[in-house]
Amino acid sequence: MTVLDARGLLCPLPVLRLRKQLLALPQGAIVRLIATDRMAMVDVPHFCEQAGHVMVGTRDLGDGALEFTVRRGPSVPQAEGLVTPEDS
């Protein structure tokens, strides 16, 4: 399991870092994203739905951080407007 610490980063950086990490992993791999930006509660599930990944779970770590557990989906569609790995 990969842990991605995005504490202190503001939208959209946590999701962009998550996307980049998922692209580097095989289907079924699990990534734990830790973020302090409250917009991640909206952004991460939306990203997973749009990109074909599975939101396994979310929990509040109690210190202002949220933990998102995401399983890499079978493919990452190239949707219009999404940032490519070269952009981040």
Side-chain angles (χ1 to χ4, degrees), residues 24-64:
L25 296 171
Q27 177 181 342
I30 301 288
V31 175
R32 283 181 42 217
L33 170 69
I34 301 171
T36 50
D37 182 2
R38 288 298 185 197
M39 282 305 297
M41 284 296 290
V42 174
D43 294 343
V44 174
H46 183 287
F47 162 72
C48 289
E49 182 180 323
Q50 294 297 310
H53 304 299
V54 177
M55 174 70 75
V56 176
T58 305
R59 70 182 177 126
D60 189 331
L61 298 179
D63 62 354

Side-chain angles (χ1 to χ4, degrees), residues 14 23 29 34 40 50 57 77-78 81 86:
L23 285 171
I34 301 171
Q50 294 297 310
Q78 290 293 333
E86 294 80 30

